[in-house]
Amino acid sequence: MTQGVPAHTPEEDKGGLRTALAGLTTRGRSFLAAGIAAAICAYVLGQSDLLRVGLLLAVLPLVCATVLYRTRYRVAGSRRLSPGRVPAGSEARVHLRMDNVSRLPTGLLMLQDRVPYVLGPRPRFVLDRVEAGGRREVSYRVRSDLRGRYPLGPLQLRLTDPFGMCELTRSFSTYDTLTVIPHVEPLPPVRLSGEAKGYGDGRQRALALAGEDDVIPRGYRHGDDLRRVHWRLTARYGELMVRREEQPQRSRCTVFLDTRGLAFQGAGPDSAFEWAVSGAASTLVHMLERGFSVRLLTDTGSSVPAEGADGFAGASQESADAAGLMMDTLAVIDHSDGAGLSRAYDVLRGGNEGLLVAFFGDLDEEQATVVAKMRQRSGGAVAFLLDSESWVREAADVPGPLDKSEERLRMLREAGWTALKVPRGAGLADLWRQADRQRMGIGAGSGTEGRS
């Protein structure tokens, strides 16, 4: 962000003296009050010397305010975030730069940036006299344990006179946004049920070029590599024919996040819902690094990215853009008002989803039945169940029955899910390995390869 700021604006010119007097500091107001009091006493007592002292005390802050108000500084300010997207619990550095673009040197400046309270205290810097055409650079750090999008700015400049009688504040009008994404935990490269490597042979293929004519060898086109020429067909048809290029398959993975408000209890960085959001983010990053086409799906039926081949993230730069979009979505995702998972099930049953990794909150019997049906349209399915009531109960050290969550686990496992219960404070990497061991123990040799 870069913008110039004048010493005062036309709107403030209309205020005139009132605006200048409003900027008087405590010292300036004290001088003015003492001068007026001395002038009154001098008038009552008939002391001309005291009157001169009183006038001096009263005029000094008024002159300082007028001179400071009429001084026309022009400065340009810029802000740079490093980085602009940071995981929760990590620090980002904000770099501020002030350039004096006027022909006059500035006086003493106080630079202040407005930041939300969750990022830390409001940073303030005192800048010495900036020569004409000069610049000053300062920086500060921000940190948040809560994910979200936080506005930074606008910048404020506080001008003061050499005697400290008056201070005037000038503000920039623009701001930047810091995105705090969920914490991402590195996951081990295990092979889950229904998972295929990111690239490989499969029934479904993405063709090298769009169009049905690429299903069979086609005529030579300008720019085709001569190594692709099919000589046998060239001799048969009497013209150059080229082979289509094989595009390796890109396996799919859907990461499902249950956001129903009634499915989670508690709030804050250590709540069950925040663990689920962080788990979804970790899974998305892990699967993208392994070369999968990935999408994020919630209980509302909305998916990210919304465009592309069947809503999945593509390859190369598109994949990086989609990853950023999904992480930005998780940075601000909140509880939904929905009570069921039927809309997400309607999306999942519309096609072959490859590997399905899901993070669920509390499930009643009806919703557990819906979840069991989700397994039918996926090559493999892994579920992490967060009994948020037990998270709150464990935090309070109050014992309670756990039969309900165990029953839900049994239902999902019978439906073919690799289902695990998530205790309070568990690490996703350990549960990721445990899911692989559970698959090997109950489903060895029955896994289905993920689809491209």
Side-chain angles (χ1 to χ4, degrees), residues 139-184:
S139 65
Y140 64 93
R141 294 178 296 179
V142 291
R143 180 181 183 274
S144 175
D145 293 327
L146 298 175
R147 57 187 175 81
R149 291 173 62 87
Y150 300 101
L152 301 179
L155 278 172
Q156 291 182 332
L157 277 178
R158 183 172 296 176
L159 312 177
T160 182
D161 66 282
F163 299 101
M165 297 290 180
C166 183
E167 289 183 350
L168 296 179
T169 301
R170 305 289 178 240
S171 297
F172 292 86
S173 60
T174 59
Y175 63 91
D176 294 315
T177 301
L178 175 68
T179 302
V180 180
I181 62 177
H183 172 71
V184 175

Side-chain angles (χ1 to χ4, degrees), residues 189-197 251-254 287 290 292 352-358 375 377-384 413 415-420 431-451:
V190 301
R191 181 180 175 85
L192 299 174
S193 177
E195 178 184 342
K197 60 184 178 180
S251 300
R252 293 176 177 175
C253 176
T254 297
M287 302 310 292
R290 298 198 62 184
F292 278 69
N352 195 326
E353 304 304 318
L355 177 64
L356 174 61
V357 182
R375 172 65 179 83
R377 299 298 300 175
S378 61
V382 182
F384 298 95
R413 288 168 180 169
W417 284 83
T418 300
L420 294 91
L431 293 174
W432 199 255
R433 296 187 186 93
Q434 184 179 343
D436 182 55
R437 291 195 297 268
Q438 182 181 124
R439 179 193 66 84
M440 296 298 294
I442 66 175
S446 61
T448 304
E449 290 295 315
R451 305 298 191 261

Side-chain angles (χ1 to χ4, degrees), residues 254-257 356-360 371 374 381-385 417:
T254 297
V255 178
F256 176 81
L257 177 62
L356 174 61
V357 182
F359 296 84
F360 295 106
V371 172
M374 293 181 180
V382 182
F384 298 95
L385 271 67
W417 284 83

Side-chain angles (χ1 to χ4, degrees), residues 75-391:
V75 295
S78 63
R79 182 192 296 106
R80 178 172 58 87
L81 304 181
S82 178
R85 183 187 291 121
V86 62
S90 300
E91 290 185 343
R93 183 168 289 274
V94 183
H95 302 268
L96 303 178
R97 172 176 166 176
M98 303 301 301
D99 293 271
N100 183 9
V101 297
S102 66
R103 298 180 179 180
L104 298 175
T106 68
L108 190 66
L109 303 177
M110 176 179 286
L111 181 63
Q112 175 177 277
D113 205 6
R114 300 183 62 182
V115 300
Y117 72 94
V118 296
L119 297 183
R122 180 172 296 182
R124 293 181 174 90
F125 305 93
V126 177
L127 305 181
D128 294 333
R129 175 179 177 273
V130 182
E131 64 280 4
R135 69 185 182 190
R136 298 289 185 271
E137 295 183 4
V138 294
S139 65
Y140 64 93
R141 294 178 296 179
V142 291
R143 180 181 183 274
S144 175
D145 293 327
L146 298 175
R147 57 187 175 81
R149 291 173 62 87
Y150 300 101
L152 301 179
L155 278 172
Q156 291 182 332
L157 277 178
R158 183 172 296 176
L159 312 177
T160 182
D161 66 282
F163 299 101
M165 297 290 180
C166 183
E167 289 183 350
L168 296 179
T169 301
R170 305 289 178 240
S171 297
F172 292 86
S173 60
T174 59
Y175 63 91
D176 294 315
T177 301
L178 175 68
T179 302
V180 180
I181 62 177
H183 172 71
V184 175
E185 182 178 354
L187 301 180
V190 301
R191 181 180 175 85
L192 299 174
S193 177
E195 178 184 342
K197 60 184 178 180
Y199 293 97
D201 295 331
R203 299 179 196 173
Q204 299 181 9
R205 269 181 214 281
L207 300 181
L209 300 172
E212 295 297 331
D213 60 332
D214 285 310
V215 176
I216 60 175
R218 57 171 174 81
Y220 176 84
R221 297 173 184 171
H222 179 71
D224 286 339
D225 191 343
L226 292 177
R227 290 175 295 182
R228 293 173 51 202
V229 174
H230 196 298
W231 297 109
R232 181 178 301 176
L233 290 178
T234 297
R236 177 183 301 178
Y237 291 105
E239 61 176 328
L240 285 177
M241 303 293 292
V242 296
R243 301 182 182 90
R244 68 179 178 92
E245 288 184 346
E246 294 287 346
Q247 180 73 19
Q249 111 178 48
R250 191 174 175 88
S251 300
R252 293 176 177 175
C253 176
T254 297
V255 178
F256 176 81
L257 177 62
D258 184 4
T259 64
R260 296 172 299 142
L262 55 81
F264 294 92
Q265 299 182 27
D270 297 328
S271 64
F273 181 68
E274 292 301 321
W275 192 99
V277 173
S278 177
S282 302
T283 304
L284 288 169
V285 172
H286 176 72
M287 302 310 292
L288 284 171
E289 289 177 348
R290 298 198 62 184
F292 278 69
S293 291
V294 181
R295 73 171 173 180
L296 172 67
L297 180 66
T298 67
D299 57 285
T300 62
S302 60
S303 62
V304 182
E307 299 178 357
D310 299 326
F312 286 83
S316 64
Q317 184 61 35
E318 294 181 1
S319 179
D321 295 340
L325 179 59
M326 287 185 283
M327 297 304 289
D328 288 345
T329 301
L330 289 176
V332 296
I333 200 168
D334 203 354
H335 293 295
S336 68
D337 298 329
L341 304 172
S342 58
R343 283 183 287 182
Y345 171 69
D346 292 338
V347 175
L348 290 173
R349 72 177 180 178
N352 195 326
E353 304 304 318
L355 177 64
L356 174 61
V357 182
F359 296 84
F360 295 106
D362 297 332
L363 297 175
D364 55 25
E365 185 175 357
E366 178 183 357
Q367 300 309 316
T369 302
V370 175
V371 172
K373 296 179 181 178
M374 293 181 180
R375 172 65 179 83
Q376 300 173 1
R377 299 298 300 175
S378 61
V382 182
F384 298 95
L385 271 67
L386 293 92
D387 184 4
S388 60
E389 183 179 353
S390 68
W391 279 53

